[in-house]
Amino acid sequence: SAVISQKPSRDICQRGTSLTIQCQVDSQVTMMFWYRQQPGQSLTLIATANQGSEATYESGFVIDKFPISRPNLTFSTLTVSNMSPEDSSIYLCSVVVPARGPTTGELFFGEGSRLTVL
Amino acid sequence: AQSVSQHNHHVILSEAASLELGCNYSYGGTVNLFWYVQYPGQHLQLLLKYFSGDPLVKGIKGFEAEFIKSKFSFNLRKPSVQWSDTAEYFCAVNERGDMRFGAGTRLTVKP
């Protein structure tokens, strides 16, 4: 298993500002994922962050809006840039712990960062 | 990519009632299937998973799920729910590393 800590747990931000969310894992993991969970909706993958390479973004998400850092195997940050009310959401960090390989293992999630943009 | 459908947005049951939450994915292939649960104020955690073998899998807290390949389904069941089962339940499908989640079903169990 893995224990994931996210900071901040919640924040209220003004339109046009940026917020960086931190994700710390208690063990070294290769693959880290950032998800968004908007009110009443499913989890949507924003990007995959692998240490030592550029993050891979899903359709509809771009690096300028959601820059990601992955400096080592236990830490990552997601920045939500130039925020608007539409960015109000829960942002979740997750990691995969290999079961039969990195593509089939289960995901472990942080507690999420609830962001409200006014 | 797969899409995942959860049929019920909100389910309300009384304690001791039986539960079945539907989950379908969009097309066949080699997939791994998961149910995650999110209790109020807590993070998502794994309830059960199917990789291969017996299509009836048992998870924590008395939950089970049945994989029916011909129906692309992975329904979650519990014979007798408790008030503490009140939570949001997410079905997820992993196909070659691409993990997709359903919209979630909110379960409210009345004491």
Side-chain angles (χ1 to χ4, degrees), chain A residues 31 33 35 37 40-43 45 58 92 99-100 103-112, chain B residues 9 32 34 36 38 41-44 46 49 51-52 90 94 96-103:
Chain A
M31 303 175 76
F33 305 89
Y35 285 86
Q37 184 180 13
Q41 296 188 27
S42 181
L43 282 78
L45 181 62
E58 297 298 306
L92 295 147
R100 299 178 188 180
T103 60
T104 58
E106 63 186 83
L107 291 178
F108 289 86
F109 289 87
E111 295 188 359
Chain B
H9 180 63
N32 303 116
F34 306 83
Y36 284 85
Q38 188 171 28
Q42 298 187 27
H43 59 274
L44 281 159
L46 185 70
K49 59 188 177 185
F51 285 170
S52 64
F90 294 90
N94 184 330
R96 293 191 297 275
D98 186 0
M99 190 83 151
R100 302 285 165 168
F101 286 83

Side-chain angles (χ1 to χ4, degrees), chain B residues 19-86:
Chain B
L19 170 73
E20 180 160 2
L21 301 182
C23 173
N24 286 88
Y25 56 99
S26 52
Y27 60 88
T30 302
V31 295
N32 303 116
L33 302 159
F34 306 83
W35 276 96
Y36 284 85
V37 60
Q38 188 171 28
Y39 298 104
Q42 298 187 27
H43 59 274
L44 281 159
Q45 54 189 289
L46 185 70
L47 201 55
L48 50 77
K49 59 188 177 185
Y50 171 79
F51 285 170
S52 64
D54 189 343
L56 183 63
V57 293
K58 296 189 183 298
I60 60 173
K61 303 184 181 183
F63 286 90
E64 64 180 32
E66 184 175 13
F67 170 50
I68 302 179
K69 189 174 183 178
S70 61
K71 295 185 178 180
F72 308 143
S73 71
F74 190 56
N75 292 354
L76 180 71
R77 298 195 292 251
K78 185 171 184 178
S80 176
V81 294
Q82 301 172 311
W83 175 80
S84 59
D85 294 323
T86 294

Side-chain angles (χ1 to χ4, degrees), chain A residues 53-66:
Chain A
S53 62
E54 293 288 327
T56 303
Y57 289 83
E58 297 298 306
S59 176
F61 298 96
V62 295
I63 187 171
D64 290 345
K65 175 68 175 177
F66 297 101

